[in-house]
Amino acid sequence: MFTSRVRRHDRSAWPTLVGAGAMALVMTACSSGSSTGSGGDAEAPKEFSYLTNVENTTIKGELEKLATGACADAQAALPLKVETVPQTQLDQKLQLLAGQDALPVQYAAGNAPSLTVSLERSKNVLDLDRALADLGVNDEIEPAALSTIKSLYGGKFSVLPYEYNIEGIWYNKELFQANGIQVPATWDELLAAAEKLKAAGITPFAASGEQGWPLTRLISNYLQRDLGPDALQKVSDGAAKLTDPAYVRAAQAIADLGAKDYFGKGVGSIDYDTAFNQFLTGKAGMFYMGSWALADFNNPERNQIGEDNVGFMPFPEVSGGQGSSAQLTANVGLPMAISAKQYDGPDGKVGSWLTCIAENYGTELLKNQQTISGFKTSGDLPGVKPLTKEIKQRIADTDTTVLWFEALFDSKATTTSQTNAAPLVTGDLSPADFMAKVQEDLDS
């Protein structure tokens, strides 16, 4: 489900999380608490070993560039060594290595945050809050990225944000202007904009019902604007249920978009690329998606409406709601953990690599690949596209983020949610029944 260089199939766009059953191989000799790492009695690492999924070439390529550039001193002291494994085998590999006390210095986080949390409990995950503070580079992390990481990983700063995405509604500026539409700030204004576009013969929202998650993202955004940013955390904690009337109300709001034909005809059979093309060819006025879409927006061969014609707006506020449009849905696309048992302290060779990465990775990634990470950037960054700069600034201005609908679900509930999203908006499944199906899986 994950690839790295074709952004429209980025792992961030497909956050299908594996459930607790996949954690069965995790070590049984786990102890509570987290490790700040100091190397202890373990032998100091001889290489900056790094395990990643074979599908991802982004981090490997950027680290190799840093090794011959800004991080040359760290490379000379502790040479970079990369090992890859297929994404489908990543979790099993991490569990096996952890059980053998043989995790590399840096490793790709598992397919579900729950695996990293389990590894943290067995003191295999470095406490990055303390480590980066000791190194004097904790301020190199964007607050928005830190907020997202802690939401995903039990309140801990457990992974480095090598890629970072915010989500929202992209819109066609020319279509808005031609139809007298101001950028909506509220849900009611969004509905009014959709109605104007429909009246003009334009599909208001491009969306993939085949994948499902572009629709469930709308449900979670409405939920968090209406009930507050902790709405889904309450469900995960058992303090609320998706079947509660206030939660069903969110599913009803999105079902109503379908009932008004705002997704156009045949949304249930529209795949991801088709929905993307609807927006990029001017056939749809709005498109909910993450900032991984910048690669396509900045590609003149793919983007027929032009980069300058693409605008971004946060999901609007719901009247009387407890959430805010300043709280953007976000995800860490390429999370990487550091082994606490391999960390050699702030004066060590691993520490030198971490310092160099924190200070340079974000800038180099943005310059080289027009891709945004959760690290801060420095300098003027010539050549970076205006739309990318705008999104980077939005991230810099964001302190609190929220999670997508399935972020805290297990794999069974995730599948149920995404496969039933299309029937919800086509009227084949009621909002109450949709939420009941997902909640049943969460309860099982």
Side-chain angles (χ1 to χ4, degrees):
M1 84 182 159
F2 302 136
T3 62
S4 61
R5 293 310 308 136
V6 183
R7 282 290 172 258
R8 60 183 180 275
H9 298 297
D10 188 276
R11 66 171 293 172
S12 311
W14 306 83
T16 304
L17 306 183
V18 293
M23 302 302 110
L25 296 177
V26 179
M27 312 71 64
T28 56
C30 291
S31 58
S32 61
S34 65
S35 174
T36 58
S38 61
D41 296 328
E43 183 180 352
K46 295 181 174 60
E47 298 166 317
F48 189 61
S49 52
Y50 161 47
L51 174 67
T52 185
N53 52 304
V54 69
E55 294 88 349
N56 169 251
T57 59
T58 304
I59 302 175
K60 174 180 179 290
E62 289 304 313
L63 289 180
E64 288 174 344
K65 290 176 184 176
L66 287 175
T68 60
C71 301
D73 289 345
Q75 166 73 5
L78 195 67
L80 175 68
K81 180 183 179 182
V82 179
E83 180 184 356
T84 61
V85 63
Q87 181 73 45
T88 55
Q89 299 175 23
L90 177 62
D91 286 3
Q92 184 177 8
K93 180 75 170 180
L94 291 175
Q95 292 157 4
L96 177 64
L97 291 174
Q100 297 172 342
D101 207 19
L103 283 167
V105 174
Q106 180 175 233
Y107 54 90
N111 292 312
S114 54
L115 175 54
T116 302
V117 171
S118 296
L119 293 174
E120 186 273 333
R121 288 174 182 152
S122 59
K123 299 187 177 181
N124 280 289
V125 177
L126 183 66
D127 177 355
L128 291 168
D129 252 333
R130 179 171 173 181
L132 295 190
D134 289 345
L135 293 167
V137 292
N138 55 324
D139 60 350
E140 296 292 341
I141 307 296
E142 294 285 9
L146 188 58
S147 171
T148 304
I149 291 167
K150 289 188 174 183
S151 294
L152 283 169
Y153 295 96
K156 303 290 183 62
F157 183 11
S158 298
V159 297
L160 293 171
Y162 279 98
E163 185 174 297
Y164 188 69
N165 298 294
I166 58 171
E167 301 179 10
I169 299 172
W170 308 86
Y171 64 94
N172 185 314
K173 294 179 181 178
E174 288 184 2
L175 291 180
F176 269 40
Q177 183 176 11
N179 291 280
I181 300 171
Q182 299 294 319
V183 178
T186 67
W187 178 253
D188 290 340
E189 290 174 0
L190 185 70
L191 296 180
E195 188 60 32
K196 285 186 176 182
L197 290 169
K198 179 185 174 184
I202 301 160
T203 299
F205 296 97
S208 169
E210 184 176 289
Q211 267 70 51
W213 61 261
L215 299 172
T216 64
R217 290 294 218 274
L218 301 178
I219 298 174
S220 55
N221 271 273
Y222 190 98
L223 264 178
Q224 289 161 148
R225 295 294 186 261
D226 189 19
L227 303 181
D230 60 348
L232 289 170
Q233 186 64 54
K234 288 180 178 178
V235 173
S236 179
D237 293 342
K241 288 186 177 292
L242 295 175
T243 50
D244 293 345
Y247 284 77
V248 174
R249 184 166 65 231
Q252 182 69 64
I254 307 311
D256 289 345
L257 297 180
K260 294 174 182 177
D261 204 24
Y262 289 163
F263 296 113
K265 302 298 183 183
V267 63
S269 60
I270 292 176
D271 64 18
Y272 182 86
D273 283 337
T274 300
F276 218 126
N277 285 330
Q278 284 182 330
F279 181 73
L280 294 179
T281 57
K283 296 176 182 177
M286 293 179 281
F287 185 44
Y288 183 93
M289 193 52 57
S291 56
W292 58 84
L294 286 167
D296 292 285
F297 295 151
N298 290 328
N299 182 351
E301 294 183 3
R302 182 159 166 78
N303 185 357
Q304 301 298 304
I305 65 175
E307 170 204 340
D308 294 340
N309 195 27
V310 178
F312 176 86
M313 60 174 158
F315 193 93
E317 298 190 0
V318 173
S319 179
Q322 301 175 50
S324 166
S325 60
Q327 298 158 347
L328 300 173
T329 299
N331 59 71
V332 184
L334 303 172
M336 295 286 155
I338 302 293
S339 170
K341 296 177 181 178
Q342 294 266 25
Y343 184 57
D344 51 8
D347 297 322
K349 297 176 182 179
V350 175
S352 295
W353 262 110
L354 280 180
T355 299
C356 187
I357 289 168
E359 292 178 338
N360 295 282
Y361 187 89
T363 299
E364 292 303 307
L365 181 72
L366 192 55
K367 277 197 311 186
N368 296 335
Q369 303 195 43
Q370 300 279 320
T371 299
I372 297 171
S373 74
F375 296 101
K376 291 182 180 179
T377 57
S378 60
D380 293 334
L381 300 174
V384 176
K385 301 286 188 178
L387 186 58
T388 302
K389 286 184 177 179
E390 176 189 341
I391 298 305
K392 185 73 174 75
Q393 188 59 50
R394 283 187 179 269
I395 290 172
D397 293 340
T398 301
D399 293 322
T400 303
T401 61
V402 293
L403 300 177
W404 62 96
F405 193 56
E406 296 92 0
L408 302 176
F409 292 178
D410 60 21
S411 58
K412 184 179 180 183
T414 295
T415 299
T416 296
S417 170
Q418 295 176 0
T419 56
N420 285 282
L424 171 69
V425 300
T426 58
D428 294 323
L429 185 67
S430 73
D433 287 344
F434 171 83
M435 291 301 222
K437 282 178 175 289
V438 180
Q439 186 63 54
E440 181 180 359
D441 286 344
L442 295 176
D443 289 338
S444 63

